[in-house]
């Protein structure tokens, strides 16, 4: 795939790519529509404080973690088109609730629920993977994510202007946030009808079980259980901070802690329920994949996307206080970190496609992140501002490129469970964001940058040991295993059976065959009891008129 191909709008795959990054752009725009209007919010009401907004910032990334896991399972089962559309429409509700909330508790809860829109990222990742071949997937995923991520910068640039000029007054921030939610819902409806899940009806391959990620060995199962715990357990940080600020009393916090433990245990139970029977039966050699690669990519997204979400939250204030700039200038300079998304993330995917060794590209980017944040940790007011800006852009280049390289590998690990792998890796990006934002409350900016640098270096070591070059990562088609073929055959046979049953139950509105436990359940829906009785009479008369088989 050439860069010039992105302008070939008549091609179905290119059109799907553009429609999908626009959907993610709008989702990201709504996801980060609070920060640009923070000062307007503080001026318009007297019951909000800057500490409240810091808590809202953590809440804004909190539920994205479990949401990405749930959405990952849903899109493997229902396909990305329907999941993306429904998610955009549903998340418009908390966006409107936040816009017109009149207590800090309402704002907190609506922001917490709205954080689920961050799960839109993994939906688009799966959609793009359905439309593009392995040799082109890095650039396509990078362009989707890079241009979509730019929604946060677009929100920072446009929302204050919309609030002041289009609506005006103390309530302008409310109407501008509400407008972004309405636009998102409208595009969600459009997206439902605008494209399909891949170029062919069988492009979307369902896993055997959507309740948990499938693995190939007992050792991988133990590793999956280990990596399952932080995805929900990290929310305990938010609960502690919420209780500390008086939003929750001790008893309620205890119940929430207990709920987090229950959810973790339930997730582990689902992992075991899905995988133990598969592993006991034995996984065919051609269907195995290295879960250690997934674990390694979890750490990369923790260290790159998690760092990005945390850094963009503190960078304007860092420049303002360190070099004595005014807020407007500091904000413009800090926005350079997000602007790099437009070209650095697609470039990360493109380099991953062209270099011929995706693991080496991943290692190079992660090492660049460690060096970049290490240099940022050394910066102080004695450094020339232009040098500080250059180092910030240099660091951001590696951060965004590493994100593109991460999702240049994921679709080639195991096509059938791409949604769940994307969901887990994406969730670890938000685990990183919550962790780093929490750490930032206890350290200086320089120490904060050094900690992020250390995290990137640890991820580099993990990738060096665990990450494997994906098989078929540069081929014309994704690898199809014997299990994939068996699942596809079963799906075709089920459709054929449903067609035959539709003839048997002529007069019914819908016939479906659903797997229930160890067997199948046939459901036939009739418009009335008379229709059912007529069908039964026809079946009975047909059976009665059938001659007995010869002895």
């Amino acid at each position: 795939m050439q860069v010039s191909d992105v302008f070939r709008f008549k091609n179905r795959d290119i059109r799907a790519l553009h429609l999908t990054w626009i959907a993610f752009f709008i989702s990201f725009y709504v996801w980060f529509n609070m920060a640009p209007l923070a000062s307007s919010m503080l001026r318009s009401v007297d019951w909000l404080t800057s500490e409240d907004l810091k808590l809202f910032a953590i809440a804004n990334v909190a539920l994205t973690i479990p949401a990405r896991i749930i959405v990952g399972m849903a899109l493997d089962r229902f396909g990305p088109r329907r999941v993306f559309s429904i998610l955009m429409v549903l998340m418009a509700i908390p966006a409107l609730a936040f816009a017109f909330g009149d207590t800090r508790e309402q704002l907190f809860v609506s922001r917490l629920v709205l954080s689920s829109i961050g799960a839109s990222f993994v939906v688009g990742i799966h959609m793009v993977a359905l439309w593009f071949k392995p040799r082109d997937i890095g650039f396509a995923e990078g362009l989707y994510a890079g241009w979509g991520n730019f929604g946060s910068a677009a929100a920072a640039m446009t929302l204050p202007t919309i609030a002041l000029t289009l609506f005006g007054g103390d309530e302008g921030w409310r109407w501008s946030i509400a407008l972004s939610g309405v636009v998102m819902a409208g595009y969600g409806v459009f997206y439902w009808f605008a494209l399909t899940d891949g170029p062919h009806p069988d492009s979307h391959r369902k896993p055997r079980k959507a309740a948990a990620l499938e693995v190939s060995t007992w050792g991988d199962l133990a590793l999956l259980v280990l990596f399952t715990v932080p995805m929900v357990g990290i929310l305990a940080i938010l609960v502690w901070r919420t209780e500390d600020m008086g939003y929750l009393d001790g008893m309620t916090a205890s119940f929430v802690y207990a709920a987090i433990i229950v959810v973790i245990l339930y997730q582990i139970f689902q992992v075991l329920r899905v995988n133990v029977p598969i592993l006991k039966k034995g996984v065919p050699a051609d269907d195995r994949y290295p879960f250690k690669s997934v674990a390694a990519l979890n750490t990369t997204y923790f260290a790159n996307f998690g760092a990005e979400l945390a850094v963009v939250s503190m960078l304007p204030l860092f420049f303002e206080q360190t070099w004595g700039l005014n807020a407007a200038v500091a904000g413009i300079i800090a926005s350079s970190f997000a602007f790099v998304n437009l070209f650095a993330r697609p470039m990360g995917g493109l380099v991953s496609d062209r270099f011929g060794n995706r693991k080496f590209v991943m290692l190079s980017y992660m090492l660049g992140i460690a060096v970049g944040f290490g240099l940022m940790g050394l910066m102080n007011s004695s450094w020339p501002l232009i040098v500080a800006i250059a180092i910030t852009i240099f660091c951001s280049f590696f951060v965004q490129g590493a994100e593109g390289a991460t999702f240049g590998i994921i679709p080639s690990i195991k096509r059938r469970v791409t949604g769940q792998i994307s969901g887990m890796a994406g969730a670890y990006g938000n685990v990183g964001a919550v962790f780093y934002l929490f750490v930032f409350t206890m350290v200086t900016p320089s120490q904060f940058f050094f900690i992020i640098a250390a995290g990137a270096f640890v991820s580099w070591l993990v990738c060096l040991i665990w990450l494997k070059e994906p098989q078929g990562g540069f081929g014309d088609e994704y690898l199809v295993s014997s299990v994939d073929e068996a699942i596809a055959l079963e799906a075709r046979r089920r459709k054929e059976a449903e067609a035959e049953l539709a003839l048997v139950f002529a007069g019914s509105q819908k016939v479906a065959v659903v797997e229930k436990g160890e067997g199948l359940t046939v459901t036939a829906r009739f418009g009335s009891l008379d229709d059912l009785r007529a069908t039964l009479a026809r079946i009975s008369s047909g059976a009665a008129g059938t001659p007995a088989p010869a002895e």
Side-chain angles (χ1 to χ4, degrees):
M1 181 178 178
Q2 304 295 323
V3 175
S4 59
D5 289 341
V6 301
F7 301 105
R8 301 182 186 276
F9 301 107
K10 291 184 179 180
N11 294 358
R12 292 179 64 208
D13 55 349
I14 299 300
R15 188 163 60 250
L17 175 61
H18 286 296
L19 290 173
T20 303
W21 79 253
I22 292 172
F24 182 46
F25 175 94
I26 295 173
S27 300
F28 223 76
Y29 188 100
V30 175
W31 189 13
F32 289 95
N33 62 12
M34 180 188 73
L37 301 170
S39 58
S40 297
M41 294 171 63
L42 290 174
R43 286 194 302 267
S44 68
V45 295
D46 58 4
W47 39 267
L48 271 183
T49 68
S50 59
E51 290 300 312
D52 291 322
L53 295 183
K54 289 180 181 178
L55 179 64
F56 295 168
I58 299 177
N60 198 48
V61 297
L63 287 192
T64 305
I65 301 167
R68 287 191 180 203
I69 303 303
I70 296 170
V71 166
M73 293 186 293
L75 69 90
D76 275 333
R77 180 173 182 180
F78 301 111
R81 176 184 63 89
R82 287 186 285 183
V83 173
F84 215 150
S85 298
I86 293 172
L87 184 65
M88 295 179 77
V89 172
L90 287 180
M91 287 300 103
I93 298 173
L96 293 173
F98 182 84
F100 300 111
D102 55 9
T103 68
R104 66 175 193 161
E105 288 77 18
Q106 289 178 6
L107 295 182
F108 172 75
V109 172
S110 57
R111 203 75 224 175
L112 188 63
V113 176
L114 181 58
S115 67
S116 301
I117 191 59
S120 60
F121 171 72
V122 299
V123 187
I125 285 289
H126 193 55
M127 175 63 87
V128 174
L130 294 178
W131 279 97
F132 289 87
K133 299 181 183 299
R135 64 171 184 266
D136 301 322
I137 194 64
F139 178 63
E141 298 285 23
L143 187 144
Y144 155 75
W147 289 13
N149 276 359
F150 188 70
S152 62
M157 291 186 294
T158 61
L159 279 172
T161 302
I162 293 173
L164 292 173
T165 61
L166 183 60
F167 297 109
D170 291 339
E171 302 295 301
W173 69 270
R174 296 183 181 276
W175 291 102
S176 59
I177 288 177
L179 178 62
S180 68
V182 171
V183 170
M184 181 173 66
Y187 193 85
V189 174
F190 166 77
Y191 193 81
W192 180 283
F193 299 101
L195 75 170
T196 58
D197 289 329
H200 309 294
D202 60 347
S203 295
H204 173 62
R205 296 181 182 273
K206 296 182 180 181
R208 286 174 290 192
K209 299 289 184 180
L213 179 63
E214 301 172 21
V215 294
S216 305
T217 68
W218 292 104
D220 288 348
L221 177 59
L223 198 58
L224 175 57
V225 170
L226 180 64
F227 272 82
T228 297
V229 175
M231 291 190 295
V232 179
I234 194 71
L235 296 179
I237 289 177
L238 176 63
V239 178
W240 177 85
R241 183 64 174 163
T242 305
E243 180 187 6
D244 186 58
M245 292 186 61
Y247 280 76
L248 292 176
D249 57 55
M251 180 175 292
T252 303
S254 297
F255 280 120
V256 179
Y257 285 129
I260 291 174
I261 293 173
V262 169
V263 172
I264 292 173
L265 293 176
Y266 175 75
Q267 287 293 322
I268 293 175
F269 168 75
Q270 291 288 72
V271 167
L272 298 175
R273 184 179 69 84
V274 168
N275 284 286
V276 168
I278 294 174
L279 295 176
K280 283 184 175 180
K281 184 179 179 181
V283 179
D286 68 339
D287 195 53
R288 296 174 185 173
Y289 74 95
F291 180 77
K292 285 184 178 179
S293 289
V294 179
L297 295 175
N298 289 345
T299 69
T300 66
Y301 219 60
F302 178 103
N304 54 48
F305 189 65
E308 179 187 355
L309 291 183
V311 168
V312 296
S313 301
M314 55 75 65
L315 206 55
L317 188 60
F318 170 72
F319 275 105
E320 182 179 347
Q321 294 179 343
T322 304
W323 280 275
L325 306 175
N326 63 52
V329 174
I332 293 173
I333 293 174
S335 68
S336 63
F337 200 93
F339 262 94
V340 176
N341 257 312
L342 284 176
F343 63 89
R345 186 153 184 168
M347 184 179 294
L350 183 61
V351 171
S352 182
D353 288 340
R354 298 289 176 83
F355 196 80
N357 189 322
R358 296 190 189 275
K359 177 177 179 177
F360 178 81
V361 172
M362 189 78 258
L363 289 170
S364 300
Y365 272 116
M366 294 310 299
L367 190 60
I369 294 175
V371 172
F373 278 116
L375 290 173
M376 290 185 70
L378 297 173
M379 294 190 311
N380 55 54
S381 58
S382 66
W383 287 46
L385 180 59
I386 188 66
V387 174
I389 295 172
I391 290 176
T392 299
I393 294 175
F394 167 85
C395 183
S396 178
F397 175 83
F398 281 96
V399 170
Q400 323 296 352
E403 294 167 6
T406 297
F407 280 91
I409 297 175
I410 282 177
S412 298
I413 293 177
K414 188 63 181 174
R415 178 67 180 276
R416 189 173 69 244
V417 290
T418 292
Q420 288 167 294
I421 295 175
S422 299
M424 174 173 274
Y428 263 87
N430 287 84
V431 171
V434 173
F435 174 78
Y436 285 136
L437 284 169
F438 175 71
V439 168
F440 181 62
T441 63
M442 300 181 291
V443 298
T444 66
S446 293
Q447 292 170 333
F448 178 64
F449 293 136
F450 284 134
I451 290 171
I452 294 178
F457 184 73
V458 170
S459 176
W460 180 86
L461 288 175
V462 173
C463 288
L464 182 65
I465 299 170
W466 281 355
L467 183 61
K468 296 183 180 299
E469 186 70 20
Q471 293 183 353
F474 298 96
D476 288 330
E477 301 295 341
Y478 292 95
L479 296 178
V480 178
S481 71
S482 57
V483 175
D484 293 323
E485 293 174 347
I487 293 173
L489 176 61
E490 182 182 355
R492 288 196 298 270
R493 292 176 62 186
R494 181 178 285 111
K495 287 184 179 180
E496 292 170 357
E498 289 176 347
E500 293 173 1
L501 287 169
L503 295 177
V504 174
F505 292 104
S508 65
Q509 297 175 348
K510 183 179 180 181
V511 176
V513 178
V514 181
E515 184 178 349
K516 292 287 187 180
E518 298 298 323
L520 297 175
T521 298
V522 177
T523 303
R525 184 180 301 169
F526 292 87
S528 66
L529 182 60
D530 290 337
D531 291 339
L532 173 60
R533 293 171 67 90
T535 299
L536 291 175
R538 179 177 53 78
I539 294 173
S540 298
S541 62
T546 301
E551 294 289 339

